[in-house]
Amino acid sequence: MMACERGGRWLEALELLCQIRNFGLELNIVICDTALSACSSSALWEASLGVLASAERGQLVSPSIESFNTAITACERCQRPQQALLLLLAARVAGLRPSLVTYIAAMRACELAEWWEGSMRLFRQATEAALELDARSEE
C-alpha cells in the first residue's frame, strides 16, 4: 500500500483496499490512511471523500483526525474550500478534535480559492480552540 502511495498509484491503492476488505483481511487505520494519502497526493479530492465516507459508514475502520486531515488536504490541493469546511464539521460531529494541521489545511483551501472570509473565520476558530485547550490545561 505504501508503495502505491509513494508512487502516486492511487487507483492501485484503492483496488488493494477493496481486495483487502473482500478477502476478509483485517483493515487498520494505517492502511486506510495510506489509501487516503495516495488519493490526496494525486489531488483526487473526490476519491479521498469516497474512502472517508466508506470509513464513516463502517465499511472500513473508523477515521481518525489524521484521516480527515488527509482528505482536507486533498480539498486544499483542488481548491475546494466548501468540501474542506464540511470535512472539518464532519470531524467535529464524529467527536474528533481538529488539530492545527486540520485548520491550516482548511484555511489554505480557502486561501487558494481566494475566499479570504472563510480563511479568516477558520483562523478565529483555531484561535478560540487553542484558547479553550489552554484553559483546560490550567484546570
Side-chain angles (χ1 to χ4, degrees):
M1 184 68 76
M2 293 190 91
C4 293
E5 175 194 14
R6 291 184 183 136
R9 309 296 293 199
W10 63 271
L11 184 57
E12 288 84 352
L14 293 180
E15 288 173 353
L16 186 57
L17 187 65
C18 289
Q19 288 176 356
I20 291 169
R21 188 178 65 205
N22 290 342
F23 285 123
L25 300 174
E26 186 176 337
L27 286 171
N28 62 40
I29 194 68
V30 174
I31 292 170
C32 293
D33 281 356
T34 304
L36 264 170
S37 184
C39 295
S40 178
S41 296
S42 298
L44 296 167
W45 66 275
E46 292 158 315
S48 293
L49 295 184
V51 172
L52 196 58
S54 292
E56 288 182 299
R57 287 193 304 268
Q59 296 171 340
L60 304 173
V61 296
S62 296
S64 65
I65 194 61
E66 289 79 14
S67 307
F68 281 94
N69 291 348
T70 302
I72 291 171
T73 299
C75 294
E76 169 199 340
R77 290 184 173 132
C78 296
Q79 299 179 20
R80 300 287 184 175
Q82 291 84 4
Q83 286 80 8
L85 294 177
L86 287 173
L87 287 170
L88 179 63
L89 178 61
R92 288 185 186 138
V93 169
L96 301 172
R97 181 182 299 244
S99 66
L100 183 59
V101 172
T102 314
Y103 283 108
I104 288 173
M107 284 188 284
R108 184 87 176 119
C110 293
E111 177 188 343
L112 290 173
E114 297 183 5
W115 185 33
W116 305 110
E117 298 86 4
S119 187
M120 291 306 295
R121 185 172 14 149
L122 285 168
F123 179 76
R124 283 190 296 275
Q125 289 177 10
T127 302
E128 290 169 5
L131 291 175
E132 288 176 20
L133 186 60
D134 287 344
R136 286 187 197 142
S137 65
E138 290 178 11
E139 292 177 355

